[in-house]
Amino acid sequence: AGRLSRGPLGQGKPRLFVESTRKGNVVSRANSIGSTSASSVPNTDDEDSDYHQEAYKESYKDRRRRAHTQAEQKRRDAIKRGYDDLQTIVPTCQQQDFSIGSQKLSKAIVLQKTIDYIQFLHKEKKKQEEEVSTLRKDVTALKIMKVNYEQIVKAHQDNPHEGEDQVSDQVKFNVFQGIMDSLFQSFNASISVASFQELSACVFSWIEEHCKPQTLREIVIGVLHQLKNQLY
């Protein structure tokens, strides 16, 4: 009896130990198998994300390249239209150049012809401005003459009998002489006789400067006042 009681009790501990040991081994083997299988299976999620990112990068580069190509093409088209417009606007670009023949004008020739035409327009504009200034001076002189004649007519209408007294030819000559003497003073001071070209230029300059209607009016008034004082 004693052996039987010790036997089961004595053999109980080894059985529990063996079973627990077996279970631990099974669990460890299962863990090792699981870890091995997990390590052997590829990570498809990470690879998919890398693949999509790479595809996105390539498409972004393609879009940038395509946008750059389109922008460059637009720039070239704009330049071409500009040169075409210049050839249409500038008259000298439309004229036939026999040195070139029927060849198409180069960009350098188009630009040079455009520059020459712009310079020509500047000269024409300056010339027209000078002509306008001369015409304005003539208009001003005519207005002064008009006012003077109106004053003479009005004075005659106010005093219709003032001109009945006749003056002698000597008085007329004295008036003419006084006017010419006054003009000759300015003429002699302004005219150069070094050459015929200088004489011609000085004469026209003297006429424009000293023979203005207002200047002649002042000279005539001064001469008449001087003769009036001598006669009366």
Side-chain angles (χ1 to χ4, degrees):
R3 290 178 180 178
L4 292 173
S5 60
R6 288 195 301 270
L9 294 174
Q11 293 177 356
K13 290 183 181 180
R15 286 181 180 177
L16 293 174
F17 178 76
V18 170
E19 290 178 358
S20 62
T21 303
R22 289 178 179 177
K23 291 181 180 179
N25 292 332
V26 171
V27 173
S28 61
R29 284 199 301 271
N31 292 331
S32 61
I33 293 172
S35 62
T36 303
S37 62
S39 61
S40 62
V41 175
N43 191 353
T44 57
D45 293 338
D46 294 338
E47 289 184 356
D48 290 341
S49 62
D50 294 339
Y51 174 76
H52 289 302
Q53 187 175 4
E54 186 67 23
Y56 175 77
K57 289 181 179 179
E58 291 179 358
S59 62
Y60 175 72
K61 291 180 180 180
D62 292 338
R63 287 197 299 271
R64 286 192 60 184
R65 188 181 298 109
R66 184 167 55 255
H68 177 72
T69 303
Q70 292 176 355
E72 181 65 19
Q73 186 62 38
K74 288 182 180 179
R75 186 183 70 85
R76 293 180 180 179
D77 293 341
I79 294 175
K80 184 178 181 302
R81 287 194 301 271
Y83 278 102
D84 293 340
D85 292 340
L86 286 177
Q87 293 188 48
T88 304
I89 295 172
V90 179
T92 54
C93 290
Q94 301 174 5
Q95 298 175 358
Q96 184 178 2
D97 193 346
F98 295 100
S99 62
I100 300 176
S102 60
Q103 298 179 0
K104 184 179 179 181
L105 295 178
S106 64
K107 295 180 179 179
I109 295 177
V110 172
L111 290 178
Q112 186 60 47
K113 287 181 176 294
T114 303
I115 293 172
D116 295 340
Y117 184 65
I118 292 174
Q119 292 177 350
F120 168 76
L121 291 178
H122 279 300
K123 291 180 181 179
E124 287 295 316
K125 180 182 178 183
K126 185 177 180 180
K127 182 179 178 181
Q128 291 178 358
E129 289 177 350
E130 292 176 353
E131 292 178 355
V132 170
S133 178
T134 302
L135 292 174
R136 287 177 177 173
K137 291 180 180 179
D138 293 342
V139 170
T140 302
L142 291 174
K143 288 181 178 179
I144 294 174
M145 293 175 64
K146 179 177 178 292
V147 172
N148 292 334
Y149 285 126
E150 288 177 351
Q151 291 178 354
I152 294 173
V153 172
K154 186 177 183 301
H156 178 72
Q157 291 175 351
D158 294 339
N159 300 304
H161 301 290
E162 185 177 355
E164 293 180 355
D165 297 336
Q166 297 292 328
V167 295
S168 63
D169 293 338
Q170 182 64 35
V171 175
K172 292 180 181 179
F173 178 77
N174 291 335
V175 172
F176 179 77
Q177 183 180 9
I179 295 173
M180 291 300 104
D181 289 342
S182 178
L183 290 176
F184 182 75
Q185 293 178 3
S186 62
F187 182 84
N188 188 33
S190 303
I191 300 302
S192 174
V193 293
S195 63
F196 182 76
Q197 288 79 6
E198 289 187 8
L199 175 62
S200 302
C202 291
V203 167
F204 286 106
S205 177
W206 173 78
I207 291 175
E208 292 179 356
E209 182 66 24
H210 297 280
C211 294
K212 297 178 181 179
Q214 183 65 27
T215 303
L216 294 177
R217 179 176 180 272
E218 294 175 356
I219 292 175
V220 172
I221 291 175
V223 172
L224 292 176
H225 278 294
Q226 183 178 1
L227 290 176
K228 184 178 179 181
N229 294 330
Q230 293 178 358
L231 294 174
Y232 301 100

